[in-house]
Amino acid sequence: MHIKAILRLGGLCALSLVVMLGLGTIGHLRQLSDPTDIILQDGILLVLMLGLNAEWLRVPIFLRSALPLRQQVTINAVPLVVIALTGLKLLAFTRVQLQPFVMPVTLAFLLALCAASYEEYFFRGLVLALVMRLLPRHLLSAVMGASLIFGLFHLVNWVHQPLNVTLLQMGNAWALAMLLSAVYLRTRGLLWPIVCHFVNDFTVMAMTGLAEESRPTASLPVSLAVAGVYVVTALILLRPTKRAGLEWPTKPAENVW
């Protein structure tokens, strides 16, 4: 049973990576602009994963939280503030001279929304649930493992930037995934991690754009500090007194995406 689950998870990740690289290559050959390439890539991947989940995986993915709105806001207020503030702090300590709103706000909004929607559906919706099925009695280990997969996917950035910068991004992505996973588990609503992810990506894209020379490359101490804030916030959200009832259901519910 575990072997089948591992093969399913590995196959899903491999498929996503192959399709992502393939679409990126096609976009490059057709000389599409970076924004167009990213929007098409994320849109196609989202549709593909929606179809695979509906016909094959059948993982319950909850779009809207069933918790009272006030409780949802209480849970997510701190993560949203943390992501916004640490994102701005990270930009403030980058090795490039930033200009406010390098990218048009509407384009940054669309790009951030597409990236957040696909990545949260895939990594928090599908991957996290599959890892939790493998480790049903080890919640934190499952969250760390699923977050590690998210971080490893950022290794593809090594193609266009130095390895040390890529490793820093991978570490930051792992820590951010920890926080987004905690948000999803506590609220059981994918809209909230999508919003948090959107805030993070919109901040970076609006202020740095997509050009390689303008990408943030923060120092190791700054990256570690940001990652530490994310992880600590995630651990607070997933503290022992709040873990009861966070196990993943095996059957879909009414508010499943």
Side-chain angles (χ1 to χ4, degrees):
M1 185 68 178
H2 283 296
I3 294 178
K4 288 183 179 180
I6 292 173
L7 290 176
R8 178 178 295 182
L9 176 62
L12 184 67
C13 291
L15 175 63
S16 175
L17 185 60
V18 168
V19 173
M20 180 176 65
L21 293 175
L23 291 174
T25 301
I26 293 172
H28 178 72
L29 293 175
R30 296 188 63 183
Q31 298 183 337
L32 297 176
S33 64
D34 279 345
T36 302
D37 190 17
I38 292 173
I39 292 171
L40 288 175
Q41 174 181 293
D42 289 341
I44 292 172
L45 281 167
L46 179 58
V47 172
L48 174 63
M49 293 305 160
L50 283 166
L52 284 175
N53 193 35
E55 299 298 329
W56 175 44
L57 297 171
R58 300 187 184 279
V59 173
I61 296 181
F62 301 89
L63 179 60
R64 302 182 305 277
S65 175
L67 298 176
L69 180 59
R70 182 175 180 179
Q71 188 175 351
Q72 295 180 47
V73 172
T74 300
I75 292 172
N76 289 282
V78 172
L80 279 170
V81 171
V82 164
I83 288 174
L85 291 181
T86 53
L88 291 173
K89 182 64 68 174
L90 181 63
L91 291 174
F93 283 91
T94 55
R95 300 171 189 168
V96 295
Q97 186 67 37
L98 299 176
Q99 301 290 334
F101 303 115
V102 168
M103 177 182 289
V105 174
T106 53
L107 180 58
F109 182 94
L110 182 59
L111 286 168
L113 182 61
C114 289
S117 298
Y118 163 66
E119 292 183 9
E120 289 313 302
Y121 183 87
F122 181 70
F123 289 103
R124 253 57 67 190
L126 297 179
V127 172
L128 176 59
L130 292 174
V131 175
M132 288 181 68
R133 288 180 180 179
L134 287 171
L135 301 169
R137 291 181 293 276
H138 303 280
L139 179 65
L140 283 180
S141 297
V143 169
M144 292 177 67
S147 301
L148 178 61
I149 293 174
F150 181 68
L152 289 173
F153 262 70
H154 287 71
L155 186 60
V156 297
N157 293 336
W158 190 15
V159 174
H160 52 67
Q161 63 187 17
L163 178 59
N164 64 319
V165 175
T166 302
L167 292 176
L168 287 178
Q169 290 181 348
M170 290 171 63
N172 188 265
W174 170 80
L176 177 61
M178 287 277 294
L179 178 53
L180 295 174
S181 297
V183 167
Y184 186 35
L185 290 173
R186 284 292 306 276
T187 60
R188 191 159 291 184
L190 198 62
L191 280 176
W192 281 107
I194 288 175
V195 169
C196 292
H197 196 145
F198 168 82
V199 170
N200 180 78
D201 284 6
F202 177 79
T203 302
V204 174
M205 289 180 182
M207 298 186 68
T208 69
L210 295 173
E212 183 175 343
E213 62 271 12
S214 67
R215 290 190 179 103
T217 54
S219 64
L220 179 60
V222 174
S223 294
L224 290 176
V226 170
V229 172
Y230 288 158
V231 172
V232 169
T233 306
L235 293 177
I236 292 174
L237 288 175
L238 296 178
R239 58 192 183 275
T241 57
K242 298 296 183 180
R243 292 182 200 170
L246 295 185
E247 67 278 358
W248 215 242
T250 57
K251 296 182 180 180
E254 293 181 357
N255 63 336
V256 169
W257 187 351

